[in-house]
Amino acid sequence: MLEALVSDAAQATVRALLFAGIMTVVGALCFAQRVAPAFDGDPAGAQRVRGRAQQVLRLATALLGVVLAWRLVQQAAAFADTPGEWPSQVSLVVTQTTWGTGWLVQGAAVLLVALSASPAFRPMGRQLVPLGIGALALAVTPALSGHAVGAPRLAPLAVTLDALHVTAAGAWLGTLFVIVVAALPVARDAAPGIGADLLARFSSLALASGGIVAITGLFASWLHLETLPALWTTAYGLALVRKLVALGGTAALGAYNWRVVTPRVRATGDISALRRSALIELAIATALVVLTAVLVATPLPAEG
Ligand code: HEM
């Protein structure tokens, strides 16, 4: 049982869940700031949307709590002579390694996000400070324990752009997830025009975030691949190609939502087609996140 929890597959699973949790938290922040105001003219709808968004945030926080505990067991098991002896390594891993510092930052950030999702912070304005700090801190942490921080050249730039990459990915796909779960069920019964306004608000955010994801992703690809043939001659390059194929599907669905579904919603007020295509976009995005979790643990071409 413990072997399964610390296996390579389990480590990739935990990383994928970590990315998904971080992206959802960033999405909840962007949703509160940018998309939820579409419901300003409908106080009852706005209250329902806020309640549902808080629930999504609470679930993401619970997921991140489980992920952090699981990661600690995996890391401690990697330090122990046998996985079963992991408890004896916990304090060393947390207090005396850089990994442990990153883990503590993640823990503090998750606590801040949990605080922001508690009923005491129900009014949206008051929750934004702990949520904002927690979300941004979480978005920086993957860069501090992966290829970016270990890059032999341009490491500070790599860490900064990697954090931006994760933030923008969350602003796009995390916000879409919160919209589908928290806003679309309410928009269905809300005043006409709210669905179209919601989409207009999301489209500009998704376009800007998609651009940032592409630029920062290209930079990371250039930095880590070093040569173009490495894209098809190394395990790292091929893992990146698989991620880019999934990205193609996500981006194509996003473009379809933007160019075809959004004008239809604007004309008819019917958001059911949007829900369908957004769900497919999120399903492909899930594959993209899993492939990313494999990519970040694949040795770089220079290490191979
Ligand atoms: C919405 C689309 C995307 C999502 C959700 C996404 C997500 C992520 C995440 C979560 C990371 C992990 C960061 C870390 O652990 O430090 C990452 C890293 C990376 N991404 Fe993306 N990404 C997307 C698009 C792209 C694009 C378009 C490219 C290339 C053109 C790209 C190339 C990379 C590379 C090279 C890394 C670094 C992997 C490593 O550390 O070895 N990504 N991405």
Side-chain angles (χ1 to χ4, degrees), residues 14-294:
V14 168
R15 268 194 306 276
L17 292 174
L18 176 69
F19 293 153
I22 294 175
M23 286 166 62
T24 304
V25 170
V26 173
L29 173 67
C30 296
F31 178 82
Q33 278 285 68
R34 172 89 195 130
V35 183
F39 289 85
D40 276 355
D42 173 5
Q47 202 180 355
R48 279 180 65 203
V49 168
R50 272 205 289 271
R52 295 176 74 98
Q54 295 272 44
Q55 251 169 315
V56 175
L57 203 51
R58 276 195 284 273
L59 280 177
T61 315
L63 170 76
L64 284 170
V66 172
V67 163
L68 287 197
W70 194 352
R71 292 189 81 216
L72 182 57
V73 173
Q74 290 176 335
Q75 190 72 5
F79 272 69
D81 290 336
T82 63
E85 292 169 46
W86 68 266
S88 64
Q89 301 299 314
V90 166
S91 109
L92 176 121
V93 164
V94 172
T95 58
Q96 287 174 48
T97 65
T98 332
W99 186 95
T101 310
W103 186 86
L104 286 172
V105 172
Q106 278 177 338
V110 170
L111 282 180
L112 271 179
V113 174
L115 189 70
S116 79
S118 76
F121 279 79
R122 181 51 57 89
M124 268 295 179
R126 277 170 62 200
Q127 75 163 190
L128 287 178
V129 174
L131 179 56
I133 298 172
L136 293 180
L138 279 173
V140 175
T141 53
L144 298 176
S145 63
H147 288 144
V149 75
R153 59 199 167 119
L154 304 173
L157 183 62
V159 168
T160 309
L161 294 187
D162 197 72
L164 203 56
H165 189 70
V166 176
T167 307
W172 171 10
L173 295 170
T175 308
L176 182 64
F177 177 65
V178 181
I179 287 178
V180 168
V181 179
L184 290 191
V186 178
R188 211 175 31 206
D189 313 325
I194 286 190
D197 185 21
L198 186 145
L199 279 183
R201 287 169 173 274
F202 174 64
S203 294
S204 52
L205 174 69
L207 273 181
S209 322
I212 294 173
V213 161
I215 293 167
T216 49
L218 279 173
F219 170 81
S221 307
W222 168 79
L223 184 71
H224 297 322
L225 283 173
E226 296 191 18
T227 66
L228 190 58
L231 190 59
W232 56 88
T233 56
T234 65
Y236 186 86
L238 293 172
L240 180 58
V241 169
R242 281 191 280 276
K243 169 176 167 156
L244 294 181
V245 170
L247 175 77
T250 313
L253 252 298
Y256 175 76
N257 284 340
W258 175 44
R259 304 302 291 180
V260 179
V261 182
T262 302
R264 203 180 295 158
V265 172
R266 209 171 285 142
T268 64
D270 178 14
I271 57 169
S272 51
L274 172 73
R275 186 161 186 282
R276 248 190 330 269
S277 54
L279 278 174
I280 303 175
E281 186 178 347
L282 285 173
I284 307 177
T286 305
L288 182 118
V289 170
V290 171
L291 291 169
T292 299
V294 174

